[in-house]
Amino acid sequence: MDSFNNTNHSPVTFILTGIHGLEAQHIWISIPFCAVYATALLGNCAILFIIKTEPSLHAPMYYFLSMLAINDINLSLTTLPTMLSVFLYNASEIYFDTCLTQMFFLHTFSLMESSVLLAMAFDRFIAICNPLRYASILTNPVIAKIGVVIVVRVTALEIPLVSLLKRLPFCKTNLLSHSFCFYPDVMKFACADTRLNSVYGLFTILSTAGIDSVCIIFSYLMIMKTVLGMASREGRLKALNTCVSHICVVLIFYIPMIGLAVLHRFGNGVPLVIFFLMGNVYLLFPSVLNPIIYSIKTKQIQKAILKMFSAKQDNI
């Protein structure tokens, strides 16, 4: 009877994975990872501070950039506790309900990032294709409504996803592939039919990141059509230059996401270290690189940073 019960109820814990075979060096390996997390948090906090304190950046484009920075901070904080517990304290066990909670926030913030990138693409589309109506279309109330829709849309889709997983029994080994709880990774240990979970998970991805990516591509097709119709070469270059940062951020987000999804779908027999590396690239690269890209490619932010430092030097 005990054996039967153990095979039909969720395990008390899952086992998170660091770098397999290098467990003795985890405390040293944690140093660069902590540095990366610190860079992500400080970089995005700096972007928020600069936008808040510089009146010239109080515009729709930078409000959306603030949303992106807030989302990246939340995404980093979602996985930071388990990463630290695995690498610093060798505490790799995570309770099932805690795992589900982390998974909910991880996937929610990840898909919100996709939606914010779509909002930023819409901003560039209006700015280039309909500049005379830019200020009247993207008013502060409209931007706030877009933010609310992003949160409600993704949250409403993610709650059933986690609920469907919670109802499953787990009877297989519970060693995860990452130092965080990832939906496909956890689901594969269920000892029941997971077709409904797979179908709904696919529906969630297609109705968020899938639709978002198609709309982003369509926006840029319309932008290219408008840009190519400009008579001035200087005007074309100026218009395209305002999109470079966003295009880089979109690629940095979607390429690792697709790579990790393909790895979990077809990666049977792939060493665990590959899962670990891909998972961290998917989570950390956007959060680290987004503020760097916008700081390098956006002249208004560069001016705000120089202004801030020059003011400090004057005070000294």
Side-chain angles (χ1 to χ4, degrees):
M1 179 64 71
D2 289 341
S3 176
F4 177 83
N5 288 337
N6 288 338
T7 61
N8 284 276
H9 290 82
S10 300
V12 176
T13 59
F14 282 96
I15 308 299
L16 301 169
T17 303
I19 300 181
H20 185 66
L22 296 177
E23 288 81 4
Q25 285 75 41
H26 272 179
I27 193 166
W28 298 107
I29 296 172
S30 69
I31 295 174
F33 277 100
C34 287
V36 171
Y37 272 100
T39 302
L41 294 173
L42 291 174
N44 285 288
C45 286
I47 288 290
L48 290 174
F49 178 78
I50 291 167
I51 292 173
K52 181 181 179 181
T53 56
E54 179 54 50
S56 65
L57 299 181
H58 294 174
M61 173 182 173
Y62 302 104
Y63 292 146
F64 289 126
L65 179 56
S66 297
M67 292 183 191
L68 187 68
I70 292 170
N71 193 80
D72 284 338
I73 290 170
N74 289 329
L75 187 58
S76 297
L77 292 176
T78 298
T79 56
L80 179 60
T82 53
M83 191 281 291
L84 290 178
S85 67
V86 170
F87 282 92
L88 290 181
Y89 304 107
N90 199 29
S92 57
E93 292 187 351
I94 182 170
Y95 288 107
F96 184 65
D97 287 339
T98 306
C99 185
L100 290 181
T101 301
Q102 184 188 52
M103 186 192 309
F104 169 77
F105 285 109
L106 188 155
H107 288 280
T108 296
F109 290 130
S110 179
L111 294 179
M112 280 184 187
E113 182 130 348
S114 172
S115 298
V116 173
L117 291 176
L118 173 59
M120 296 173 81
F122 178 68
D123 169 82
R124 292 299 84 206
F125 168 75
I126 298 298
I128 294 173
C129 299
N130 202 348
L132 297 179
R133 296 188 59 199
Y134 180 75
S136 62
I137 293 175
L138 288 176
T139 61
N140 288 347
V142 169
I143 294 170
K145 289 176 183 177
I146 290 173
V148 171
V149 168
I150 288 172
V151 173
V152 172
R153 172 203 186 199
V154 177
T155 303
L157 288 169
E158 284 298 320
I159 290 174
L161 190 72
V162 175
S163 300
L164 286 172
L165 192 62
K166 186 175 177 62
R167 70 179 179 84
L168 292 175
F170 291 84
C171 58
K172 301 177 183 178
T173 57
N174 54 358
L175 179 65
L176 300 178
S177 304
H178 306 285
S179 55
F180 54 85
C181 293
F182 189 61
Y183 184 78
D185 197 25
V186 174
M187 187 178 66
K188 69 185 180 183
F189 296 116
C191 55
D193 188 356
T194 60
R195 282 178 293 183
L196 178 60
N197 298 72
S198 298
V199 169
Y200 186 78
L202 180 61
F203 167 76
T204 301
I205 290 294
L206 292 178
S207 59
T208 51
I211 292 176
D212 294 345
S213 59
V214 171
C215 291
I216 290 171
I217 292 171
F218 179 75
S219 296
Y220 273 103
L221 290 175
M222 297 302 293
I223 288 171
M224 288 302 300
K225 181 180 178 181
T226 300
V227 169
L228 292 175
M230 293 179 177
S232 168
R233 181 176 181 273
E234 183 180 347
R236 290 197 297 269
L237 292 175
K238 185 177 179 180
L240 289 175
N241 191 53
T242 64
C243 300
V244 170
S245 299
H246 182 254
I247 292 172
C248 292
V249 168
V250 168
L251 294 176
I252 288 169
F253 173 74
Y254 278 103
I255 291 175
M257 172 186 270
I258 294 170
L260 186 61
V262 170
L263 185 63
H264 273 281
R265 179 65 180 85
F266 303 105
N268 292 333
V270 173
L272 284 177
V273 67
I274 303 299
F275 283 90
F276 173 84
L277 293 174
M278 279 298 300
N280 282 281
V281 167
Y282 161 66
L283 287 176
L284 294 175
F285 261 42
S287 299
V288 172
L289 295 180
N290 289 350
I292 295 174
I293 290 171
Y294 274 96
S295 297
I296 293 174
K297 297 298 297 181
T298 308
K299 290 183 178 179
Q300 291 86 341
I301 293 179
Q302 290 178 3
K303 290 179 181 178
I305 294 173
L306 292 174
K307 180 180 177 181
M308 182 176 64
F309 278 108
S310 62
K312 287 184 177 179
Q313 289 178 354
D314 292 339
N315 292 333
I316 294 173

